[in-house]
Amino acid sequence: MHIVCANCKAINRIPAQKSHLQARCGKCQQAVYKLEPVALNDANFYRYVEKNDLPVIVDFWAQWCGPCKVMAPVFANLAQHSENLLFAKVNTEEAQRVSGEAGIRSIPTMIFFQAGKEVDRISGALPEPQLKQWIMQTLAKL
Ligand SMILES: [Zn+2]
């Protein structure tokens, strides 16, 4: 399985018998996988969503957005408890190219990617049970 390092964004190949939870990056020696959202930008977004073999759920947000602040701890908490999913965040004010290409009209918007392809998206601050339910429904489409 290929996992993009949460720290340096190098692509790591994890042998089938090894768990990505314990794997160290061949390049930076840090943990490849983190149980917390990884911040992405215009420079590393596509590599991260395309080269990871696990689904990546991206939260598009901005500093000034109140509902985004409500969403953030819910999103982080789910990341903490989802060992086979990757969670990432894109600051729409900083990553303007990616946000434009993703067609973000309102925030927060969460997009579920598998191998770089959008599977589904949902907008608005969701309570954790609803966010979880959306993720389960989207996983069922894969
Ligand atoms: Zn690394």
Side-chain angles (χ1 to χ4, degrees), residues 3 11 28 40 65 74 76 78-79 97 111 122 129 136 142:
I3 298 281
I11 301 164
C28 73
L40 301 179
C65 156
V74 174
L78 208 55
R97 184 171 63 89
I111 305 185
I122 195 164
M136 296 309 283
L142 299 180

Side-chain angles (χ1 to χ4, degrees), residues 81-98:
H81 297 103
S82 308
E83 298 186 343
N84 291 306
L85 296 171
L86 292 157
F87 291 76
K89 293 176 78 80
V90 168
N91 183 331
T92 53
E93 284 179 291
E94 287 170 9
Q96 294 191 0
R97 184 171 63 89
V98 160

